[in-house]
Amino acid sequence: DVYKRQDDDKISGVLVDAVRSVLRIPSQAVLASPNSEGGAVSEMCRNGDEFVSIVDIDRLQEKHADD
């Protein structure tokens, strides 16, 4: 869920179902997202055998501006 302030409609918070971990990723491990156009995911990184999506909060705000 995305929560917006009533006075200026900017995002004031994002509620997620769960957080598995918080990672410190070296900049050389960050890759451009192959589907970055129009979506909130701007970049990705590899963590072991998994890919992790990096969400751009500004893009998320733009995506939900009309909600």
Side-chain angles (χ1 to χ4, degrees):
D1 294 331
V2 175
Y3 294 92
K4 297 181 180 181
R5 299 186 302 211
Q6 290 182 341
D7 56 343
D8 60 7
D9 211 32
K10 290 190 177 191
I11 291 179
S12 60
V14 178
L15 178 65
V16 297
D17 293 330
V19 175
R20 287 193 312 185
S21 61
V22 177
L23 306 172
R24 290 187 187 267
I25 304 295
S27 59
Q28 63 268 25
V30 177
L31 310 168
S33 173
N35 299 322
S36 63
E37 292 185 32
V41 175
S42 61
E43 298 167 314
M44 299 183 77
C45 67
R46 186 170 216 132
N47 183 36
D49 292 336
E50 299 179 325
F51 280 102
V52 177
S53 299
I54 300 172
V55 175
D56 182 324
I57 195 69
D58 293 328
R59 286 187 189 180
L60 183 65
Q61 183 173 351
E62 290 171 8
K63 188 172 176 71
H64 288 278
D66 297 328
D67 289 349

